[in-house]
Amino acid sequence: MSVMVYPREEKLEKLSQEEIISSTKQVIQGLETLKNEHNTILHSLLEAITSLKKEEETNVVQEKSSLLHKSVEMIELGLEEAQVMTALSGHLNAVESEKQKLRAQVRRLCQENQWLRDELAASQQKLQHSEQSVVQLEEEMKHLEFMSQLRKYDEDASPLEEKEGEPHKDCLDDLFPNEAEEHVHPTQHQHSSSTAAVAAAQRGGYEIPARLRTLHNLVIQYASQGRYEVAVPLCKQALEDLEKTSGHDHPDVATMLNILALVYRDQNKYKEAAHLLYDALSIREKTLGKDHPAVAATLNNLAVLYGKRGKYKEAEPLCKRALEIREKVLGKDHPDVAKQLNNLALLCQNQGKYGEVEYYYRRALEIYERRLGPDDPNVAKTKNNLASCFLKQGKYREAEVLYKEILTRAHEKEADGKQGGWKV
């Protein structure tokens, strides 16, 4: 019998909850039927007891009746247990349903939580960008404040300011006044520049004739008045006379070619100006030597011309060669070398070569401070140029330091001037 029971128990263990409930309901129905049958048999036995008279037969019937009572009680107990199982199944189903609802709610809460996390991350990123923008705006505000204060003390025109009608590039020849033959525009530095040019030429064994210096000053006056119709024929006539008396390959002819080229440059006749300057360069290299100061002057004029046309890459080697000549002839710490360094720095700045720009400006600043003193206007101009270079790179702290130095020096000079005015 035990061998037959084990497979039945294993089969019951493999039943699902629904199968167990279904089987329980069938058992309940069977037990109800069995209970009814037992009650019917018991009723018939009780009737039989009343009709029997013999004592032995009555005892037998009573024994059967008691057995049937016990059997009915067991059946009722089984029914109660089956009903408990059915009720328990209903309860478990309700619990499972509630569990599914809770799981769905948890999933929804997880999704909402993830969405809130994403929103928080996006908000934090926006806040970070906003803080960066605020910092940048504060730095720009400080720079504007410094620039506003600087304008009060900057009496000279800024070399980096744009002229009306010119493209948005730094103008090379606006930095510093060069030798007399390099500029046709009248400035307050022309006489001193002419003297410097004569001195440099004399050191190289060539002295500019007095008649050419006079002619140069006359051409400057006509050009400043916009009377090019007078200045150009005057230059051409002088050039023709020089070629007749001295020949084409003469330093005086080269000087006249430079003057006429710069008049053409002011008329935006760049092609004609370049042709004349290259001719002057060839004559000077041939007659004076390749390392003569006059050769450096012509090279610088060519660099300025290319710079005006926006050809900074072509202008840079010309400017570098002019710098080498001036360093060789004048020495590496001469103020004219510093002027050439400023021109070269500006050419590099227009090409975005900020590392070289900083080097050239710092070197020029060192020369000016050592040779001309901290109060020379060229020192403030060079610091201003270097600060502008820092701003274009976003180096606001370095620019701020330079602007503070310029303003502090200007305040000190202004205070010294006021104190000096009260002296007796």
Side-chain angles (χ1 to χ4, degrees), residues 3 10-11 20 39 42 56 82 95 114 129 176 182 205 255 264 293 306 327 347 381 394 396:
V3 177
E10 291 178 0
K11 185 176 180 181
I20 292 173
N39 286 330
L42 182 59
E56 293 180 359
V95 170
Q114 185 61 39
H129 289 323
F176 298 96
E182 293 179 51
T255 300
Y264 279 147
Y306 279 122
E327 286 179 335
L347 284 174
K381 290 180 180 180
Y396 301 111

Side-chain angles (χ1 to χ4, degrees), residues 74-215:
M74 294 298 294
I75 290 171
E76 289 177 350
L77 181 61
L79 286 171
E80 290 176 358
E81 291 178 353
Q83 290 172 355
V84 169
M85 289 180 65
T86 303
L88 182 60
S89 175
H91 177 69
L92 291 175
N93 287 334
V95 170
E96 184 65 25
S97 177
E98 188 67 23
K99 182 179 178 182
Q100 294 297 331
K101 290 180 181 179
L102 291 174
R103 285 180 177 175
Q105 188 175 2
V106 168
R107 284 194 298 269
R108 181 175 60 80
L109 291 174
C110 288
Q111 292 175 354
E112 291 180 358
N113 187 36
Q114 185 61 39
W115 177 78
L116 290 173
R117 287 177 182 272
D118 294 339
E119 286 292 319
L120 179 60
S123 299
Q124 288 176 341
Q125 189 174 7
K126 290 179 180 178
L127 178 60
Q128 185 177 4
H129 289 323
S130 299
E131 291 176 348
Q132 293 175 353
S133 299
V134 168
V135 172
Q136 186 176 1
L137 288 173
E138 289 177 350
E139 293 292 342
E140 292 178 359
M141 179 65 72
K142 290 180 182 178
H143 166 61
L144 291 174
E145 290 175 355
F146 279 116
M147 291 297 293
S148 178
Q149 296 180 23
L150 187 62
R151 288 192 185 97
K152 297 178 183 178
Y153 302 98
D154 189 10
E155 298 177 355
D156 300 322
S158 175
L160 296 177
E161 289 179 353
E162 296 179 24
K163 294 182 178 179
E164 293 183 3
E166 292 188 357
H168 183 66
K169 281 290 183 181
D170 297 324
C171 184
L172 185 66
D173 60 341
D174 283 344
L175 273 175
F176 298 96
N178 296 313
E179 287 78 7
E181 63 186 273
E182 293 179 51
H183 274 268
V184 179
H185 295 295
T187 65
Q188 60 182 353
H189 305 285
Q190 281 170 355
H191 296 294
S192 61
S193 297
S194 299
T195 304
V198 171
Q202 289 175 345
R203 284 194 297 271
Y206 168 66
E207 181 178 358
I208 299 175
R211 68 182 187 279
L212 289 185
R213 292 199 297 271
T214 303
L215 179 62

Side-chain angles (χ1 to χ4, degrees), residues 272-283:
E272 294 87 342
H275 177 73
L276 294 175
L277 286 174
Y278 274 114
D279 193 8
L281 178 63
S282 176
I283 294 172

Side-chain angles (χ1 to χ4, degrees), residues 47 169 242 294 363 388:
E47 289 180 351
K169 281 290 183 181
L242 285 171
R363 190 178 160 201
S388 176

